[in-house]
């Protein structure tokens, strides 16, 4: 149970500064919280509420709409197997049964060692490479029982630690707008006229 | 991680001997870097745009008829012209939420050529007078987020984005934003709600047409990733070159993902308007036909929401004015192919379950109807349904979409097509999309359902108390 660390508060403020309204940063900050703790804690949501000027209930209301946010600890690796049509046509159901057996857990469950959570997911925009799965949102394509087993063995042996960060970390690269390069936010209350480059002429 | 069976850099993508507007760099290992982008003509389109008045650039895009690639197919230049006069600021929201079942193209465009997208955003902002751009990437797309973030950081440092772009009076920030997993957020008004920090539920149209009342209540243009990725090429080559490809009503190219039971599932950039489904599914250089020894049973022509087609419809081109009357839509450029081994009720269930789960719950016909459709269909698939369930499916469908629902013609069944679109009782298309696969499957393959259900004698309602 943790509020955001000092470093994350600094990052949060940088993110907030890019939006005309602070509340727009809610989802990015929830990701930051999940990155810090592996899931989204109540304390973090209360802290985010303070940062964006909302109530904790409003932040929870937003967070609970989105499937990626977890409100309880999950495995270090979350494996999402796609079960939508294209993957289903190519054997996703068999793959799911195989995965449940290999890991000894049901869909939604976490292995006893806390390493892997298995989930059923929906279309991952990789339909031509079916059946597919994501491990912490990194893809495996045209998955067979053998390649699934190899993935699990690699995860257990720590061989993919460089490629796949722990659950909560999605993108490892952050946008950074240099202070001397930014055009700045354009809030409705501050901007009342056409942008300079339209040169006074109305846009079509 | 495994690279898939095809292009090592762009898994699933095949080049072919065809015009390439948006995928020209996909075969290059470093296509996502600023260096490669600039070395291959990148940011020339922006330079050319900035050398002309914004109004002229807008006119060029309008005359090219760049159809929206997100699903609705509305021309971008026309959409930009729908903002109310003299209301400022205006925003650009880029829809990178790609999650319609079967759709796989925007992710590739973001991973393989992020600068092309960034340049497209800049051209749109310049032409339509948009003061700030928010680039919304689907939450589950880690690599796309990393590639776009890296590209933005490079582009800012090199002066392509931000203040006084390329030394001009044009200044605009592109803010990378990302979601957290919810299909319906791809709907443009839900995307805006999500970007405002809320639950991603669609808004009522009217009055909430984004071009009039969008982000923070301001005029907002929402465009798809592929739509915008066309603009750099268009600026360099001009509208005449663009419309020389394809047909007058469907010019240029479009990216299409073909998945399922074909020999070579893949992502192809095809010539719009003229390429037919037969070309795509059976042509060499495309999918090369069905899997060994199998025949085509049915296909979904335009993403999971689209009513299904049969082999009867193979000769239709990628042209909305022909696909609509034939009973379906082109949607998001996603074809899902089923061969003769396919269990049709089960296939329909994988889509209906998707839409039922993704309902945001705002409208009753979708929230309740979707769940009912899934439940009834599940019990039929599990062999526990009765023939009364078949009528019930259609009845629930009527509560979502009253009246005749579009479907394909079939020589085998002796039925003619009911044209697209449908009437609907819901705010957005998620509700109707839960019904579309059920309706298609039941209309075109009723015998597969009947073979699975128990026949029951209907007991009239007046016979209350009668024993069964
Ligand atoms: C339920 C639903 C989901 C949608 N998902 C997407 C999506 O993931 N990506 C997208 O670009 N458009 C999606 N759309 C279409 C958008 O609402 C919008 O029409 C589109 O982004 C506009 O861009 P375009 O004119 O460039 O196509 C969706 C629409 C609906 C109703
Ligand atoms: S149709 Fe479904 S997803 Fe769309 S607004 Fe209504 S309840 Fe929400
Ligand atoms: S259906 Fe599995 S990735 Fe699209």
């Amino acid at each position: 149970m943790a509020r955001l660390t000092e470093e994350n508060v600094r990052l949060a403020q940088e993110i907030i500064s890019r939006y005309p309204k602070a509340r727009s940063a809610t989802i990015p900050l929830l990701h930051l919280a999940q990155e810090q703790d592996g899931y989204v804690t109540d304390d973090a949501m209360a802290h985010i509420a303070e940062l964006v000027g909302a109530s904790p209930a409003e932040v929870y209301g937003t967070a609970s709409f989105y499937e990626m946010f977890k409100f309880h600890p999950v495995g270090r690796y979350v494996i999402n197997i796609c079960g939508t049509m294209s993957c289903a046509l190519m054997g996703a159901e068999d793959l799911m049964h195989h995965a449940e057996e290999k890991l000894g857990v049901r869909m939604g469950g976490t292995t006893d060692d806390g390493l892997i959570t298995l989930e059923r997911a929906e279309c991952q925009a990789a339909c031509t490479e079916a059946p597919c799965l994501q491990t912490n949102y990194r893809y495996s394509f045209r998955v067979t029982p053998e390649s699934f087993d190899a993935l699990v063995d690699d995860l257990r042996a720590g061989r993919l630690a460089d490629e796949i960060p722990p659950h909560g970390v999605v993108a490892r690269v952050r946008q950074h707008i240099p202070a001397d390069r930014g055009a700045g936010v354009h809030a409705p209350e501050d901007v009342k006229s056409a942008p300079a480059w339209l040169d006074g002429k109305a846009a079509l | 991680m495994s690279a898939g069976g095809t292009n090592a850099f762009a898994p699933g993508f095949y080049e072919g001997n065809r015009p390439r507007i948006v995928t020209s760099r996909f075969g290059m290992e470093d296509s996502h870097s600023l260096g490669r982008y600039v070395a291959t003509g990148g940011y020339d389109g922006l330079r050319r745009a900035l050398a002309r008045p914004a109004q002229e650039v807008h006119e060029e895009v309008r005359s090219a008829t760049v159809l929206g690639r997100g699903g609705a197919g509305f021309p971008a230049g026309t959409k930009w012209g729908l903002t109310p006069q003299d209301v400022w600021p205006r925003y650009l929201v880029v829809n990178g939420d790609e999650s319609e079942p079967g759709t796989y193209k925007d992710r590739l465009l973001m991973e393989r050529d992020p600068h092309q997208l960034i340049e497209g955003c800049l051209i749109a902002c310049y032409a339509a007078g948009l003061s700030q751009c928010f680039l919304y990437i689907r939450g589950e797309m880690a690599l796309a987020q990393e590639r776009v973030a890296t590209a933005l950081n490079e582009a800012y440092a090199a002066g392509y984005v931000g203040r006084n772009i390329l030394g001009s009076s044009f200044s605009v920030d592109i803010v990378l934003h990302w979601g957290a997993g919810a299909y319906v957020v791809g709907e443009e008004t839900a995307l805006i709600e999500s970007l405002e920090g809320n639950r991603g539920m669609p808004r009522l149209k009217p009055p909430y047409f984004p071009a009039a009342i969008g982000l923070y209540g301001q005029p907002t243009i929402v465009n798809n990733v592929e739509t915008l990725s066309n603009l750099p090429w268009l600026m360099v080559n001009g509208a005449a070159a663009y419309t020389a490809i394809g047909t007058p009503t469907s010019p240029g190219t479009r990216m299409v993902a073909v998945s399922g039971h074909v020999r070579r599932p893949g992502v192809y950039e095809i010539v719009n308007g003229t390429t037919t489904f037969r070309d795509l599914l059976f042509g060499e250089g495309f999918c090369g036909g069905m899997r060994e020894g199998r025949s085509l049973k049915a296909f979904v022509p335009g993403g999971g929401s689209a009513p299904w087609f049969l082999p009867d419809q193979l000769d239709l081109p990628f042209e909305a004015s022909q696909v609509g009357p034939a009973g379906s839509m082109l949607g998001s450029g996603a074809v899902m192919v089923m061969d003769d081994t396919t269990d049709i009720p089960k296939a329909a269930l994988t889509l209906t379950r998707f839409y039922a789960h993704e309902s945001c719950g705002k409208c009753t016909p979708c929230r309740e109807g979707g769940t009912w459709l899934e439940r009834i269909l599940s019990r039929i698939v599990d062999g526990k349904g009765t023939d009364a369930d078949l009528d019930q499916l259609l009845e629930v469908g009527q509560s979502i979409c009253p009246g005749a629902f579009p479907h394909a013609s079939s020589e085998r069944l002796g039925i003619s097509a009911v044209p697209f679109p449908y009437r609907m009782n819901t705010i957005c298309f998620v509700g109707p999309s839960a019904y579309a696969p059920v309706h298609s499957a039941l209309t075109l393959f009723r015998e597969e359902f009947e073979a699975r259900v128990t026949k029951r004698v209907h007991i009239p309602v007046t016979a209350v108390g009668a024993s069964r």
Side-chain angles (χ1 to χ4, degrees):
Chain A
M1 288 288 135
R3 290 166 62 88
L4 296 180
T5 63
E6 222 168 277
E7 166 64 7
N8 280 337
V9 169
R10 196 193 58 71
L11 280 171
Q13 274 153 355
E14 187 186 336
I15 293 169
I16 290 170
S17 75
R18 295 182 205 140
Y19 297 95
K21 300 198 190 286
R23 282 186 64 156
S24 283
T26 303
I27 291 173
L29 298 200
L30 285 162
H31 275 296
L32 203 56
Q34 184 150 283
E35 190 168 329
Q36 174 181 298
D37 300 321
Y39 69 107
V40 183
T41 67
D42 290 347
D43 286 351
M45 284 191 281
H47 197 179
I48 290 168
E50 289 165 28
L51 291 168
V52 303
S55 71
E58 286 169 322
V59 171
Y60 179 70
T62 293
S64 59
F65 188 80
Y66 299 91
E67 303 214 350
M68 287 176 77
F69 296 129
K70 311 294 180 202
F71 303 102
H72 49 84
V74 292
R76 180 180 179 85
Y77 300 110
V78 176
I79 298 184
N80 282 304
I81 302 182
C82 175
T84 311
M85 189 180 211
S86 310
C87 289
L89 289 172
M90 300 303 282
E93 211 170 288
D94 290 345
L95 178 61
M96 288 186 198
H97 290 314
H98 175 83
E100 287 182 334
E101 249 165 54
K102 168 81 180 171
L103 294 173
V105 297
R106 293 290 206 149
M107 287 292 158
T110 301
T111 54
D112 286 341
D113 58 3
L115 192 70
I116 296 173
T117 298
L118 185 63
E119 287 184 354
R120 180 201 172 86
E122 301 289 3
C123 182
Q124 300 174 336
C127 321
T128 66
E129 308 311 292
C132 64
L133 61 79
Q134 292 185 321
T135 309
N136 293 352
Y137 308 106
R138 267 86 185 159
Y139 287 94
S140 300
F141 299 130
R142 303 192 181 203
V143 183
T144 61
E146 295 72 40
S147 72
F148 183 84
D149 291 353
L151 169 70
V152 170
D153 295 345
D154 285 348
L155 290 173
R156 285 185 173 147
R159 282 191 288 270
L160 293 173
D162 290 343
E163 272 179 69
I164 306 180
H167 180 259
V169 180
V170 186
R172 287 164 297 184
V173 183
R174 293 183 202 284
Q175 177 178 21
H176 176 65
I177 301 180
D180 60 333
R181 286 293 319 142
V185 296
H186 286 67
E189 54 275 18
D190 301 334
V191 179
K192 295 292 170 213
S193 56
W197 68 87
L198 289 186
D199 223 358
K201 282 171 267 173
L204 284 176
Chain B
M1 304 263 86
S2 81
T6 54
N7 182 317
F9 314 127
F13 174 74
Y14 295 95
E15 296 180 4
N17 189 17
R18 294 180 286 274
R20 289 161 78 191
I21 291 178
V22 292
T23 64
S24 65
R25 296 180 190 83
F26 278 23
M28 302 167 190
E29 182 169 9
D30 59 350
S31 62
H32 48 89
S33 71
L34 180 63
R36 174 61 58 198
Y37 190 65
V38 170
T40 49
Y43 291 111
D44 276 1
L46 175 65
R47 249 191 207 92
R48 285 175 196 234
L50 295 186
R52 300 161 68 183
Q55 293 78 2
E56 220 179 282
V57 175
H58 185 169
E59 197 47 50
E60 181 101 38
V61 175
R62 191 202 298 271
S63 65
T65 321
V66 182
L67 301 182
R69 308 295 205 268
F74 195 78
T78 309
K79 184 189 279 188
W80 301 354
L82 296 179
T83 50
Q85 291 287 314
D86 288 326
V87 184
W88 311 98
R90 299 168 179 172
Y91 301 111
L92 175 64
V93 175
V94 184
N95 195 339
D97 196 52
E98 183 168 67
S99 34
E100 170 77 356
T103 313
Y104 170 30
K105 63 191 182 67
D106 297 338
R107 181 166 71 77
L108 271 179
L109 286 167
M110 293 187 280
E111 290 178 0
R112 296 307 308 158
D113 209 339
H115 283 286
Q116 176 174 260
L117 171 60
I118 291 168
E119 188 180 358
C121 296
L122 295 169
I123 293 166
C125 288
Y126 178 72
L130 314 175
S131 302
Q132 201 174 349
C133 169
F134 300 90
L135 205 169
Y136 192 123
I137 304 183
R138 181 172 170 185
E140 294 96 330
M141 294 179 177
L143 182 60
Q145 292 167 25
E146 289 177 354
R147 289 275 165 83
V148 173
T150 306
L152 279 171
N153 290 345
E154 287 176 310
Y156 266 99
Y160 291 111
V161 189
R163 189 181 305 168
N164 300 121
I165 293 169
L166 297 173
S168 72
S169 63
F170 174 49
S171 300
V172 71
D173 273 344
I174 298 179
V175 176
L176 174 58
H177 188 88
W178 59 109
Y183 161 72
V184 67
V185 161
E187 195 277 340
E188 55 190 5
T189 59
L191 194 73
I192 288 168
E193 279 290 325
S194 181
L195 187 48
E196 290 183 0
N198 303 324
R199 296 169 75 84
M201 294 179 163
R203 296 171 174 173
L204 265 179
K205 299 189 215 184
Y208 292 105
F209 289 110
I213 310 175
L215 184 62
Y216 312 127
Q218 296 299 119
T220 301
I221 299 300
V222 181
N223 269 137
N224 167 265
V225 163
E226 186 189 345
T227 311
L228 293 163
S229 296
N230 274 277
L231 302 180
W233 189 98
L234 176 57
M235 280 304 116
V236 170
N237 297 279
Y242 188 84
T243 53
I245 303 171
T247 58
T249 45
S250 301
T253 63
R254 72 176 295 170
M255 289 177 75
V256 180
V258 190
S259 56
H261 296 154
V262 284
R263 223 176 269 251
R264 200 172 76 159
V267 184
Y268 303 91
E269 182 171 0
I270 66 168
V271 172
N272 221 351
T274 57
T275 309
T276 66
F277 288 100
R278 188 184 300 282
D279 295 338
L280 189 59
L281 266 52
F282 290 91
E284 291 308 318
F286 290 112
C287 300
M290 305 303 293
R291 299 188 297 189
E292 194 61 47
R294 296 289 166 203
S295 61
L296 174 64
K297 191 167 187 178
F299 61 101
V300 190
S305 304
W308 298 4
F309 275 167
L310 297 169
D312 304 53
Q313 282 76 42
L314 274 175
D315 290 313
L316 287 170
F318 275 77
E319 166 67 58
S321 66
Q322 293 189 49
V323 167
S328 192
M329 61 171 191
L330 292 171
S332 51
V335 182
M336 292 179 277
V337 183
M338 293 168 259
D339 72 16
D340 54 337
T341 64
T342 308
D343 178 335
I344 292 285
K346 216 166 168 180
L349 177 59
T350 67
L351 288 174
T352 296
R353 185 178 48 215
F354 174 90
Y355 295 105
H357 282 197
E358 299 297 334
S359 169
C360 80
K362 196 165 177 171
C363 354
T364 314
C366 170
R367 186 186 59 240
E368 303 297 324
T371 311
W372 271 106
L373 290 174
E374 186 200 346
R375 244 189 245 164
I376 301 168
L377 196 52
S378 281
R379 77 171 169 250
I380 294 172
V381 166
D382 291 344
K384 295 179 187 141
T386 70
D387 55 353
D389 283 336
L390 304 188
D391 295 330
Q392 179 131 44
L393 284 174
L394 299 175
E395 229 168 83
V396 174
Q398 282 291 312
S399 69
I400 302 170
C401 293
F405 197 83
H407 65 75
S409 66
S410 162
E411 213 177 287
R412 179 177 73 89
L413 299 170
I415 54 173
S416 47
V418 170
F420 204 78
Y422 38 70
R423 286 174 53 208
M424 56 199 256
N425 286 334
T426 54
I427 294 175
C428 85
F429 293 95
V430 171
S433 301
Y435 182 48
V438 177
H439 183 270
S440 287
L442 201 48
T443 306
L444 305 174
F445 300 96
R446 194 176 173 100
E447 68 280 6
E448 290 196 31
F449 288 82
E450 281 173 349
R452 257 199 157 96
V453 296
T454 320
K455 301 259 182 295
R456 250 166 65 161
V457 181
H458 289 267
I459 300 163
V461 183
T462 47
V464 175
S467 64
R468 293 190 185 173

